[in-house]
């Protein structure tokens, strides 16, 4: 294990692996360290939006991805209705995919290694040495005892709980909306279905409506990823018992999907959202991905933001001071959308709102708009009414924020 490197990346999920790949492609010395040994699993729906596909293309993983199952869009369901909403065509590819994280994350981190990064596995980062605001080294717990690695720049991509980020002063604000979600795998002859399914009508055992959603993401491997999620805030914590709900949801779906056997690998986790995290950068260090709350509040997808934020952070390695630069860059890129989306998502945690929202599913146009916003597929170049309203709403929302995203 080298004792010094130019760029040290802690956490080799999509965010960290992307940062390591892009930094190594600049010819820098890079160490990518993870507490786990790969391939490792991660609680996730495994869904890849067109934004994620665009980032994987950039990394050179497009051919591999296209050999996997691809989907045309989302089958949105609920309240006796079903709509097919194709992924919009525009600057992003007009298709999505879903790849189990054991495989996806392994692919991305191998792309980082192929680009020249040195990978160390099974080594949790446990501490950082800070000198005049700069991280000079990180201490890892290894099989041979504690080992220190010195660095010029540190990128922290250690996920939702971000233990190293916390050591550096990161605070996750759960007064702002966050997600709780569970997923499992089911065997089915329909694992190549060309649509992912999102269901907005979830009911408990008494058939009462719950403020949550369900999904089925075909993986093309003989299995689908089935999951349920809910939005919450510190004031309105989710009262949904996710595991029994997921098991019941899978049973409800059994005849339609012809499931074979029971749920496999059921697991759940929290999801930070909408940049509701402060303390995300210092002089020579920056948090990316889930550690920085880079997740879409409307649907909990964060793989694309992880990959993107890794690439963006790697472009800043020569910046003299990241303390204000990094949050400002994330705010400029995601601030408006995150501010408005988390406001909308926060409203959805209120009792009754879910029920009131049900007419939206009756109108194909509204479903198409929902999909565009959920996938954060509105770009600065878009000039249509929805894009203009979304941007204007975002500007108004961020002005009202007592704590804007990433602050
Ligand atoms: C149930 C569920 C469903 C979801 N579904 C989707 C979906 O369908 N699509 C989507 O885009 N997003 C989804 N998300 C969100 C997505 O999983 C995350 O946004 C994404 O994994 C973020 O990537 P990351 O690289 O920031 O973090 P992670 O993927 O969590 O990677 C963090 C890495 O850091 C390592 N690590 C942690 N602590 C240390 C330490 N001390 N030292 C060294 N290494 C450490 C971990 O081992 C891990 O490998 C879902 C989340 C949940 C919980």
């Amino acid at each position: 294990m080298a004792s010094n490197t130019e760029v040290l990346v802690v956490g080799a999920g999509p965010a960290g692996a992307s940062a390591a790949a892009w930094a190594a492609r600049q010819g820098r010395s890079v160490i990518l360290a993870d507490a786990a040994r790969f391939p490792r699993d991660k609680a996730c729906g495994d869904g890849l939006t067109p934004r994620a596909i665009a980032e994987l293309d950039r990394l050179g993983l497009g051919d591999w991805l296209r050999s996997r199952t691809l989907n045309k869009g989302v089958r949105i369901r609920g309240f006796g209705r079903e709509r097919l909403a194709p992924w919009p065509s525009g600057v992003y590819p007009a298709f999505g995919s879903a790849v189990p994280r054991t495989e996806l994350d392994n692919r991305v981190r191998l792309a980082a290694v192929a680009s020249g990064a040195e990978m160390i596995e099974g080594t949790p980062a446990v501490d950082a040495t800070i000198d005049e605001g700069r991280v000079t080294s990180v201490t890892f717990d290894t099989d041979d005892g504690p080992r220190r690695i010195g660095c010029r720049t540190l990128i922290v991509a250690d996920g939702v709980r971000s233990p190293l980020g916390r050591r550096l002063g990161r605070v996750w604000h759960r007064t702002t909306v966050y997600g709780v979600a569970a997923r499992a795998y089911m065997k089915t002859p329909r694992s190549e279905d060309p649509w992912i399914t999102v269901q907005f009508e979830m009911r408990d055992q008494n058939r009462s409506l719950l403020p949550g959603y369900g999904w089925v993401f075909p993986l093309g491997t003989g299995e689908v990823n089935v999951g349920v999620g809910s939005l919450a805030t510190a004031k309105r914590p989710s009262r949904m018992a996710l595991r029994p709900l997921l098991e019941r949801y899978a049973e409800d779906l059994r005849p339609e999907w012809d499931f074979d056997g029971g749920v496999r690998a059921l697991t759940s986790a929290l999801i930070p959202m909408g940049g509701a995290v402060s303390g995300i950068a210092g002089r020579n260090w920056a948090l990316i991905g889930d550690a920085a709350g880079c997740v879409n509040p409307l649907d909990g997808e964060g793989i694309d933001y992880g990959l993107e934020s890794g690439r963006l952070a790697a472009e800043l390695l020569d910046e003299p001071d990241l303390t204000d630069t990094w949050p400002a860059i994330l705010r400029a890129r995601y601030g408006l959308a995150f501010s408005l989306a988390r406001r909308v998502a926060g409203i959805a945690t209120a009792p009754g709102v879910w029920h009131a929202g049900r007419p939206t599913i009756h109108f194909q146009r509204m479903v198409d708009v929902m999909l565009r916003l959920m996938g954060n597929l509105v770009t600065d170049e878009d000039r249509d009414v929805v894009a203009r309203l979304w941007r204007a709403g975002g500007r108004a929302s961020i002005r009202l924020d007592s704590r804007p995203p990433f602050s």
Side-chain angles (χ1 to χ4, degrees):
M1 192 193 290
S3 58
N4 235 298
T5 184
E6 230 175 320
V7 183
L8 176 58
V9 183
V10 173
S18 158
W22 289 112
R25 287 172 192 191
Q26 295 168 23
R28 299 173 194 266
S29 67
V30 179
I31 292 181
L32 174 60
D34 200 289
R37 290 188 190 280
F38 284 69
R40 64 103 178 85
D41 194 12
K42 151 85 179 78
C44 190
D46 303 329
L48 298 171
T49 61
R51 270 184 95 112
I53 306 272
E55 282 305 311
L56 292 166
D57 277 344
R58 277 198 168 98
L59 281 166
L61 292 171
D63 287 345
W64 159 73
L65 189 67
R66 281 163 184 75
S67 71
R68 306 294 317 231
T69 190
L70 303 177
N71 55 64
K72 299 179 187 175
V74 184
R75 180 186 293 118
I76 295 184
R77 266 195 184 160
F79 309 105
R81 294 278 167 154
E82 179 172 302
R83 298 270 177 213
L84 292 180
W87 294 113
S89 49
V91 293
Y92 298 110
F95 61 89
S97 183
V99 178
R101 294 290 298 271
T102 39
E103 186 178 346
L104 176 79
D105 292 22
N106 203 37
R107 282 279 167 171
V108 185
R109 66 114 200 169
L110 287 175
V113 172
S115 305
E118 181 190 342
M119 169 104 204
I120 53 175
E121 302 177 59
T123 50
V126 290
D127 203 3
T129 310
I130 303 163
D131 184 21
E132 295 182 359
R134 298 182 73 83
V135 172
T136 52
S137 68
V138 173
T139 306
F140 293 89
D141 203 0
T142 75
D143 291 346
D144 304 323
R147 285 285 173 90
R148 241 185 219 195
I149 299 182
C151 61
R152 200 166 75 101
T153 306
L154 170 67
I155 296 180
V156 182
D158 54 356
V160 52
R161 296 194 181 275
S162 189
L164 185 60
R166 283 208 310 266
R167 166 77 185 83
L168 296 169
R170 174 239 204 207
V171 181
W172 172 13
H173 303 283
R174 294 198 209 172
T175 43
T176 302
V177 70
Y178 61 91
V180 288
R183 73 99 223 260
Y185 294 108
M186 298 292 293
K187 268 196 204 158
T188 169
R190 288 185 55 196
S191 82
E192 306 267 358
D193 195 282
W195 298 89
I196 60 172
T197 302
V198 175
Q199 175 158 331
F200 286 104
E201 185 185 2
M202 301 297 288
R203 294 191 180 267
D204 65 14
Q205 64 275 32
N206 306 318
R207 309 313 292 166
S208 303
L209 188 65
L210 295 167
Y213 53 91
W215 71 77
V216 183
F217 293 170
L219 298 165
T221 56
E223 288 189 317
V224 286
N225 183 314
V226 183
V228 293
S230 167
L231 297 165
T233 64
K235 251 197 206 156
R236 295 199 196 104
S238 170
R239 308 222 181 273
M240 278 168 43
L242 290 178
R243 284 167 179 256
L245 180 64
L246 175 47
E247 280 165 352
R248 215 172 34 250
Y249 179 48
E251 278 318 305
D252 288 349
L253 294 170
R254 185 179 289 280
E256 180 191 348
W257 289 85
D258 201 6
F259 287 147
D260 173 12
V263 295
R264 180 178 79 74
L266 197 162
T267 171
S268 62
L270 301 179
I271 315 179
M273 289 175 163
V277 175
S278 50
I280 62 163
R283 285 181 61 192
N284 68 335
W285 57 269
L287 268 56
I288 61 174
D290 273 12
C294 290
V295 176
N296 186 344
L298 293 180
D299 60 2
E301 42 101 17
I303 297 172
D304 45 4
Y305 300 100
L307 294 166
E308 278 181 20
S309 60
R311 175 169 55 80
L312 296 175
E315 286 168 8
L316 294 181
L317 295 171
D318 293 323
E319 278 291 312
D321 189 343
L322 294 168
T323 314
D324 297 323
T325 315
W326 181 235
I329 283 181
L330 290 181
R331 232 178 347 265
R333 196 169 175 95
Y334 306 131
L336 299 186
F338 276 7
S339 171
L340 184 54
R342 70 191 197 180
R343 203 171 284 279
V344 172
I347 293 169
T349 62
V353 169
W354 218 259
H355 203 260
R358 89 194 149 140
T360 47
I361 213 160
H362 287 236
F363 302 104
Q364 180 72 44
R365 177 83 184 113
M366 287 177 94
V367 164
D368 290 343
V369 170
M370 251 160 79
L371 180 65
R372 208 165 146 211
L373 303 181
M374 279 164 60
N376 205 355
L377 301 174
V378 175
T379 63
D380 287 346
E381 292 74 39
D382 291 343
R383 293 276 168 264
D384 59 292
V385 178
V386 172
R388 282 169 198 265
L389 283 174
W390 187 241
R391 278 193 292 269
R395 279 192 294 273
S397 173
I398 212 165
R399 274 197 296 272
L400 293 173
D401 277 341
S402 54
R403 185 184 296 107
F406 308 108
S407 64

